[in-house]
Amino acid sequence: MSLAESRPRTQQQEWPVRGRPRSEAVERAIIEGVMKLMEDGVSLADLSIERIARTAGVGKATIYRRWNNKEDLFVDVLRAADPEDPELPGTSMRDDLVMLLEWLRQRALASRSSAILRNVQAQMKSSPKIWAAYHATVIAPRRRLSLDILRRGQRNGELRTDVDIDLMNDMLVAPMLVQSLLRPEAPLEEGLSERIVDTALEGLRPVRS
């Protein structure tokens, strides 16, 4: 199964459908076409709708019925390139945090081994509009999820109620990002997620009387 096939979600799919039903296979073909061009080293600046349509074997109108411009299309390519969102166990705050960090670790490993993912991320950072859209639709919801986990931990007595959860979240995520982005030689070994969470929680659990 391709990356795009495993993540066929787009903002446009949530809109009311007019006229003929849209084909998911066509949308996958378009997204795969962009990925192929990116894999071949084509930059976002050189990624015209005409070229995408030719690569995907569709007409330009087919693309414009789904996306207003290539930037909107590229945001969906970013979503398709991302690993699947983690399925949280819900057994405890600690277990859910470990799962979230493990998702980050697996994503970092995929980025290191995938030319497509590396190119996609580089192109995203060069466009403030694309970065803002990706942040709003992908990064921000995941941050809200982790903050919800920490709030639940405070309610359940797993985390001190005086802890700044925004700061706590950054403290948990930062070590993984440092090792994946700033230390490309770091091994990102198995068990890293557990060690980060357990080290952080060691001094932040409520004191039992």
Side-chain angles (χ1 to χ4, degrees):
M1 180 180 292
S2 66
L3 284 171
E5 187 175 3
S6 64
R7 301 231 343 163
R9 52 186 177 143
T10 66
Q11 284 181 305
Q12 286 74 17
Q13 287 174 328
E14 298 175 359
W15 297 349
V17 176
R18 298 178 181 177
R20 293 179 300 172
R22 290 208 296 256
S23 167
E24 289 188 6
V26 170
E27 294 188 356
R28 286 199 301 270
I30 295 168
I31 291 176
E32 291 283 2
V34 176
M35 287 184 170
K36 181 181 185 304
L37 291 169
M38 296 292 296
E39 188 176 30
D40 292 341
V42 179
S43 68
L44 180 60
D46 296 328
L47 204 63
S48 66
I49 293 295
E50 291 84 356
R51 194 169 186 178
I52 295 169
R54 189 164 59 249
T55 302
V58 300
K60 289 192 298 181
T62 301
I63 296 177
Y64 282 120
R65 278 198 296 269
R66 292 159 172 80
W67 297 277
N68 292 327
N69 49 56
K70 68 178 182 180
E71 286 79 14
D72 290 344
L73 167 57
F74 199 73
V75 170
D76 279 352
V77 172
L78 288 171
R79 294 192 188 104
D82 260 346
E84 289 284 349
D85 290 338
E87 184 174 344
L88 303 180
T91 52
S92 68
M93 178 188 69
R94 185 259 183 195
D95 291 346
D96 285 353
L97 291 174
V98 167
M99 183 63 70
L100 284 177
L101 288 191
E102 182 60 18
W103 182 91
L104 286 177
R105 188 181 77 88
Q106 293 293 340
R107 185 179 188 273
L109 289 172
S111 296
R112 288 181 179 182
S113 62
S114 169
I116 294 178
L117 283 174
R118 288 198 302 273
N119 289 340
V120 163
Q121 290 170 3
Q123 298 295 327
M124 173 183 65
K125 293 175 183 177
S126 69
S127 171
K129 178 180 178 181
I130 292 175
W131 170 250
Y134 183 73
H135 187 278
T137 59
V138 177
I139 296 178
R142 287 171 183 160
R143 180 177 178 83
R144 287 195 295 270
L145 176 61
S146 60
L147 293 176
D148 286 344
I149 293 171
L150 293 172
R151 291 190 187 96
R152 190 189 70 210
Q154 288 182 323
R155 292 194 301 269
N156 294 344
E158 299 173 87
L159 183 67
R160 293 199 332 246
T161 57
D162 63 335
V163 170
D164 183 331
I165 61 170
D166 283 286
L167 179 59
M168 174 68 177
N169 182 72
D170 292 343
M171 289 171 60
L172 288 166
V173 174
M176 190 67 74
L177 294 181
V178 166
Q179 294 215 34
S180 60
L181 299 177
L182 302 182
R183 294 180 55 204
E185 79 287 354
L188 293 174
E189 69 274 14
E190 290 188 18
L192 177 60
S193 303
E194 288 86 346
R195 287 196 290 114
I196 292 173
V197 172
D198 290 339
T199 299
L201 291 182
E202 184 63 30
L204 295 173
R205 292 190 178 94
V207 177
R208 305 298 181 184
S209 57

